[in-house]
Amino acid sequence: MLHITENLDSKDRAILNIIQSDFPLTSRPYYIISQQVGITEEETFLRIKCLRKSGIIRRIGANFDSSKLGFKSTLCAAKVPTDRIDNFIETVNECPGVTHNYLRSHEYNVWFTLIASSCDELYSIINKISKKTGVKILNLPKTRLYKIKVNFKMEE
């Protein structure tokens, strides 16, 4: 089986190693990366654009500790009938506070995380999703932070 990472050259791998946790916070981040990798700024930008288009890079952005910013978060799970999964997922993804939304091979087959300014707002959003989709949602509020930093070393 061919894995997509087998198609990456050493420059792509170097770029991925850098941007996972050390994306430069400057006015010209692609220039800084290009200097570290040994290619031009334009080539760096184009390579990252291709990596995004291929799905290897899903997003480039900051991660914040939402609770330190005064927000509340929860993990939600739902038992969604197969014929209603697309509608349920679309409804969930319309909510601006949804940070993750995954299908699982489990009785609870859709899991998502939700962040809002208050517990009342979380409950309101969950109730709206349930009412619109007819699917009951299991609300599993965060009581403790479990954050695991994962970096994938892109060795050849």
Side-chain angles (χ1 to χ4, degrees):
M1 168 184 246
L2 178 68
H3 296 284
I4 196 162
T5 56
E6 292 174 4
N7 296 323
L8 300 175
D9 67 14
S10 62
K11 303 296 185 191
D12 289 333
R13 292 172 187 278
I15 290 168
L16 291 171
N17 281 332
I18 293 166
I19 67 173
Q20 286 183 71
S21 293
D22 296 316
F23 194 90
L25 299 177
T26 69
S27 61
R28 292 179 59 196
Y30 301 106
Y31 174 75
I32 301 297
I33 296 167
S34 74
Q35 295 300 294
Q36 295 173 346
V37 176
I39 57 179
T40 68
E41 182 178 17
E42 181 181 5
E43 183 180 351
T44 301
F45 180 80
L46 291 174
R47 283 176 177 263
I48 290 173
K49 185 176 177 181
C50 287
L51 291 166
R52 286 196 72 189
K53 187 175 181 181
S54 72
I56 291 173
I57 297 174
R58 287 189 316 203
R59 69 181 278 279
I60 295 177
N63 290 316
F64 298 96
D65 183 340
S66 57
S67 63
K68 287 185 178 179
L69 296 171
F71 289 87
K72 305 297 179 192
S73 64
T74 192
L75 174 66
C76 298
K79 299 178 188 179
V80 184
T82 306
D83 62 332
R84 292 164 52 198
I85 284 180
D86 289 341
N87 178 56
F88 185 83
I89 290 171
E90 185 178 313
T91 301
V92 168
N93 287 345
E94 289 172 353
C95 301
V98 172
T99 61
H100 299 81
N101 189 1
Y102 296 101
L103 286 173
R104 297 284 187 233
S105 296
H106 186 270
E107 179 181 6
Y108 286 92
N109 55 349
V110 179
W111 292 73
F112 62 95
T113 55
L114 180 62
I115 297 174
S117 61
S118 68
C119 288
D120 288 343
E121 186 181 357
L122 285 175
Y123 300 136
S124 175
I125 293 167
I126 291 167
N127 289 334
K128 285 177 186 173
I129 294 169
S130 287
K131 188 174 183 176
K132 185 173 180 181
T133 63
V135 174
K136 184 177 178 183
I137 297 171
L138 180 61
N139 181 12
L140 304 162
K142 181 181 92 171
T143 57
R144 216 150 133 207
L145 179 63
Y146 293 95
K147 193 75 173 172
I148 300 171
K149 181 179 178 180
V150 178
N151 278 348
F152 299 99
K153 290 297 177 193
M154 301 302 301
E155 315 299 329
E156 297 234 29

